[in-house]
């Protein structure tokens, strides 16, 4: 998810997306621990998306 897409979402949508993304990340991490993923770079991209969403939420709270 790109930063421009994240900026267009409302706070409620961001919180929902953050929850979904964290769940997806934990599922992938568990699957990777059991047997290696075909594309382990997915973990990095999801982790970065979580950080982007969390940063945008924090930014909006401070405004």
């Amino acid at each position: 998810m790109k930063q421009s897409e994240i900026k267009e979402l409302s706070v409620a949508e961001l919180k929902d997306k953050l929850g979904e993304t964290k769940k997806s990340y934990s599922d992938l991490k568990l699957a990777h621990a059991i047997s290696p993923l075909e594309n382990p770079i997915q973990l990095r991209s999801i982790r970065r998306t979580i950080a982007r969403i969390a940063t945008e939420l924090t930014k909006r709270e401070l405004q």
Side-chain angles (χ1 to χ4, degrees):
M1 183 169 234
K2 295 185 178 184
Q3 188 66 26
S4 60
E5 296 170 353
I6 292 173
K7 286 183 179 182
E8 295 173 358
L9 299 175
S10 68
V11 175
E13 290 172 332
L14 283 173
K15 288 181 180 179
D16 289 341
K17 194 63 140 169
L18 183 63
E20 291 172 12
T21 311
K22 282 186 176 182
K23 172 134 179 48
S24 171
Y25 178 70
S26 64
D27 291 345
L28 268 179
K29 197 170 176 184
L30 181 64
H32 185 62
I34 294 171
S35 65
L37 291 175
E38 188 174 313
N39 185 7
I41 302 299
Q42 287 175 318
L43 292 171
R44 184 186 338 165
S45 65
I46 291 177
R47 194 169 56 239
R48 288 180 179 178
T49 300
I50 291 170
R52 284 187 189 105
I53 294 171
T55 301
E56 184 65 26
L57 277 172
T58 303
K59 182 178 143 187
R60 291 184 186 187
E61 287 174 1
L62 293 176
Q63 287 180 352

